[in-house]
Amino acid sequence: MELSRDYLDEIYAFAVELGKQAGKMLLDGAKLRMGGGGPEEKGHVQKENAVDLVTQTDEDVEAFIKGEVMKKYPSHKFVGEESYSKGSSRDYLIDDSPTWCIDPLDGTVNYIHLFPMFCVSIAFIHNSKPLIGVIHAPFLNQLFSSCYGRGAWLNEHQPLPLVQNPVPPLPVNAPSGCVFSCEWGKDRRDQPDGNLHRKVESFVNMAAEIGGRQGRGGMVHGVRSLGSATLDLAYVAMGAFDIWWEGGCWEWDVAAGIAILQEAGGLITNANPPEDHVTAPIEEVRLGSRLYLAIRPAGPSSTETGRESQERTVREVWRRVRKLDYSRPGA
Amino acid sequence: MELSRDYLDEIYAFAVELGKQAGKMLLDGAKLRMGGGGPEEKGHVQKENAVDLVTQTDEDVEAFIKGEVMKKYPSHKFVGEESYSKGSSRDYLIDDSPTWCIDPLDGTVNYIHLFPMFCVSIAFIHNSKPLIGVIHAPFLNQLFSSCYGRGAWLNEHQPLPLVQNPVPPLPVNAPSGCVFSCEWGKDRRDQPDGNLHRKVESFVNMAAEIGGRQGRGGMVHGVRSLGSATLDLAYVAMGAFDIWWEGGCWEWDVAAGIAILQEAGGLITNANPPEDHVTAPIEEVRLGSRLYLAIRPAGPSSTETGRESQERTVREVWRRVRKLDYSRPGA
């Protein structure tokens, strides 16, 4: 089944509207916990109840989005983080059907602590490819959106990446000069060769001076950790982060971000380095792989195409990172 | 010399206005590099010129603030990051005089890459104590401000910390349950016991599971790195981060943030653990120490005062971190 241009545009407009409303629900939920109004109006939710309130908001936002989608597009499939977590199956649920894949609240820890890096994430997928992405971070007043063939946007008017005419290539000595985005994640087991230690070893390789770490030092320009995979991807699409490397994500964490990144001209591939990182083909990542490496949109230089500078950067990252151990049933 | 309430309030209003205008200058400078307008209007600055443009904006903003301050308060001292960096003296410049201490652009790497976590930072100091702080992150639409005795505010109307009535205590098992903010910094030398490795060892102790790391595992709720010491402090004042631990900052990186944090009820002390971290007194940090540990505002529980829960958290951090090697001539 092919989707017409008009049909896709209609879905896009609908998804953006959903994202705006869902983001407002998140912000309203956050304001319930803030002081400043009368004690009856705001700030009356005690800290011990904050986690319950967050769970409730999370569920309410997913129910709202699911209800609206099912009403407007009853034939589409719906995969939501909350419904999935409560279900008994851990199977991979994305197939070739028109599918909505949403995370009502990404950056849950941030939301609990009222750190502004939280968002709602809405993706529309067809033939297993994310075609539309909407990411709304309401506390930051940032709405990222994209539709296949229509470009990627910040707040509906600013094209992504932010730097255009031309889009700059990756630095010639990347990862040096790059902002590197990574997350510590939830797997904190102190096992000698566990994911925590593999991640940290990789981070240190990327950060250390050139010549350090037995030649693996990448001397990146900066290391950033925001606590939201979705916003990490949005900032790579923006060009603010050059490289994002992460393991352990689920489809709803990344589907909208991948749509936006790809429409902006970014590259997304596998986080785990192949046996031969120098010559292995650089393939588009399969949604569901749980292991992601994203490179920002890049334009040509006098010696390389943008894609060539992205692929060069991928290989330089692969040379410095360890394989992570995450799997996905059924993907 | 004592400053009257009216005089301080007048300085505060002036500093907020300066922060708004300086933030707008930063945003205008960023927009020069963004696409979206006509090629003559916007986005015409090539990537290779971006660093020059950033340096120019940095200097322009400092010159603007210095000019306005010297016009309005010619008797006050002025310490700015840009003028200091260009000067020959590395002496510590804060004394008991009424002094403005400003960083025209904190988060320079973020600004170069157009990642929104950048800001202008303006502090007014008297008797070596930061009394007024203004931090404006214009891409985030966030203006943090405080004046001694007048409270701390987000965007002039939302009191800090965000959660009030009551302000929650620190978790009973802190640092578990806490959001931990830290930075990788610029010292990336791969020396076995250098700052990079001491920092990473400390980060891993804070992050690892309880019981891990020979009992040092802190299992924090999340690890965040934004690339701006100033905004790290603002988010601790907000209550979004529970703990910030960092070495290597200069006075202008932290003066405004310390003013806002303290006015919000937060604690700031030394990053380096004392010999006896269990019983050593927890002293207010000296501006100029370059080593900072900040704890968010905290209210009482049924068993502790807010200050007691903050001090307990300081000792738990000290138990897990290494001493960092940064010094400050003359401080």
Side-chain angles (χ1 to χ4, degrees), chain B:
Chain B
M1 172 184 158
E2 278 301 306
L3 305 180
S4 73
R5 182 73 259 171
D6 283 354
Y7 189 60
L8 208 56
D9 287 344
E10 178 202 281
I11 295 172
Y12 181 37
F14 174 73
V16 168
E17 198 48 45
L18 271 186
K20 287 181 186 173
Q21 293 181 46
K24 184 173 181 310
M25 289 175 74
L26 290 180
L27 195 58
D28 288 346
K31 282 182 179 163
L32 274 179
R33 292 183 285 138
M34 294 185 199
E40 303 300 315
E41 313 259 13
K42 289 200 290 181
H44 65 288
V45 176
Q46 303 296 313
K47 180 78 172 184
E48 53 265 40
N49 299 328
V51 173
D52 289 346
L53 182 78
V54 167
T55 306
Q56 190 59 52
T57 304
D58 208 351
E59 289 173 4
D60 289 351
V61 172
E62 178 154 326
F64 162 74
I65 297 173
K66 185 171 186 172
E68 295 296 306
V69 167
M70 295 293 95
K71 204 157 53 184
K72 176 119 181 157
Y73 299 108
S75 68
H76 292 183
K77 278 185 64 177
F78 186 91
V79 178
E81 194 265 342
E82 283 301 303
S83 346
Y84 180 88
S85 303
K86 287 188 178 162
S88 56
S89 163
R90 287 288 167 272
D91 286 350
Y92 181 65
L93 298 171
I94 310 289
D95 58 22
D96 284 353
S97 323
T99 302
W100 293 75
C101 182
I102 74 120
D103 191 348
L105 172 56
D106 190 79
T108 309
V109 169
N110 293 338
Y111 190 65
I112 291 170
H113 293 260
L114 296 176
F115 177 54
M117 288 282 169
F118 59 82
C119 61
V120 55
S121 171
I122 299 174
F124 176 74
I125 301 172
H126 186 232
N127 291 328
S128 293
K129 188 170 164 53
L131 296 180
I132 289 171
V134 176
I135 296 171
H136 185 196
F139 204 154
L140 300 169
N141 293 303
Q142 292 183 334
L143 177 84
F144 302 87
S145 67
S146 74
C147 180
Y148 184 74
R150 295 295 192 207
W153 304 86
L154 172 61
N155 294 337
E156 299 179 86
H157 63 271
Q158 175 68 49
L160 301 180
L162 290 182
V163 181
Q164 305 251 347
N165 316 318
V167 176
L170 274 302
V172 289
N173 49 353
S176 175
C178 292
V179 173
F180 173 58
S181 161
C182 57
E183 302 291 347
W184 289 70
K186 290 173 191 158
D187 182 356
R188 311 278 187 74
R189 286 172 294 179
D190 185 31
Q191 295 169 345
D193 202 38
N195 279 323
L196 176 63
H197 291 280
R198 293 185 195 190
K199 274 190 167 184
V200 170
E201 185 184 331
S202 305
F203 299 171
V204 175
N205 285 344
M206 292 292 283
E209 63 182 332
I210 302 289
R213 309 284 290 176
Q214 292 82 47
R216 291 196 177 181
M219 195 60 197
V220 295
H221 209 188
V223 179
R224 303 288 177 266
S225 299
L226 304 182
S228 163
T230 305
L231 286 169
D232 287 336
L233 273 168
Y235 289 123
V236 178
M238 193 194 242
F241 294 160
D242 301 276
I243 301 164
W244 176 66
W245 177 79
E246 173 64 322
C249 310
W250 299 96
E251 296 81 276
W252 44 84
D253 295 322
V254 297
I258 289 175
I260 294 168
L261 177 70
Q262 290 187 319
E263 186 62 22
L267 179 155
I268 186 136
T269 188
N270 201 297
N272 276 359
E275 284 307 305
D276 179 359
H277 63 74
V278 178
T279 61
I282 291 170
E283 289 169 351
E284 194 171 312
V285 81
R286 271 179 319 114
L287 197 60
S289 82
R290 301 197 68 198
L291 294 153
Y292 299 96
L293 169 58
I295 308 289
R296 72 156 166 84
S301 69
S302 57
T303 57
E304 279 178 317
T305 65
R307 174 79 191 190
E308 282 166 346
S309 80
Q310 290 173 324
E311 295 205 351
R312 170 170 53 77
T313 305
V314 166
R315 295 188 196 285
E316 292 295 331
V317 175
W318 277 346
R319 191 161 83 74
R320 290 169 172 88
V321 295
R322 296 282 311 275
K323 275 192 184 179
L324 300 175
D325 182 20
Y326 292 101
S327 64
R328 178 72 178 86

Side-chain angles (χ1 to χ4, degrees), chain A residues 201 204-206 208-209 211-219 319-322:
Chain A
E201 185 184 331
V204 176
N205 285 345
M206 293 291 284
E209 63 181 333
R213 310 285 291 176
Q214 291 84 45
R216 292 196 176 181
M219 196 60 198
R319 191 162 83 74
R320 290 169 171 87
V321 295
R322 296 282 311 275

Side-chain angles (χ1 to χ4, degrees), chain A residues 129-207:
Chain A
K129 189 172 162 51
L131 296 180
I132 289 170
V134 175
I135 296 171
H136 186 197
F139 203 154
L140 300 168
N141 293 303
Q142 292 183 333
L143 178 84
F144 303 87
S145 67
S146 75
C147 179
Y148 184 74
R150 294 294 192 209
W153 304 87
L154 172 62
N155 294 338
E156 300 180 86
H157 64 271
Q158 175 69 49
L160 300 180
L162 289 182
V163 181
Q164 305 251 346
N165 315 316
V167 176
L170 274 301
V172 289
N173 49 353
S176 177
C178 293
V179 174
F180 173 58
S181 161
C182 57
E183 303 291 347
W184 290 71
K186 290 174 192 158
D187 183 355
R188 311 278 188 73
R189 285 171 294 179
D190 185 30
Q191 294 169 346
D193 201 38
N195 280 322
L196 176 64
H197 291 280
R198 293 185 194 191
K199 275 191 166 184
V200 170
E201 185 184 331
S202 306
F203 300 171
V204 176
N205 285 345
M206 293 291 284

Side-chain angles (χ1 to χ4, degrees), chain A residues 188-251:
Chain A
R188 311 278 188 73
R189 285 171 294 179
D190 185 30
Q191 294 169 346
D193 201 38
N195 280 322
L196 176 64
H197 291 280
R198 293 185 194 191
K199 275 191 166 184
V200 170
E201 185 184 331
S202 306
F203 300 171
V204 176
N205 285 345
M206 293 291 284
E209 63 181 333
I210 303 290
R213 310 285 291 176
Q214 291 84 45
R216 292 196 176 181
M219 196 60 198
V220 295
H221 208 189
V223 180
R224 303 289 176 264
S225 299
L226 305 182
S228 162
T230 305
L231 286 169
D232 288 335
L233 273 168
Y235 289 122
V236 178
M238 194 195 241
F241 294 160
D242 300 277
I243 301 164
W244 175 65
W245 177 78
E246 173 64 321
C249 310
W250 299 96
E251 296 82 274

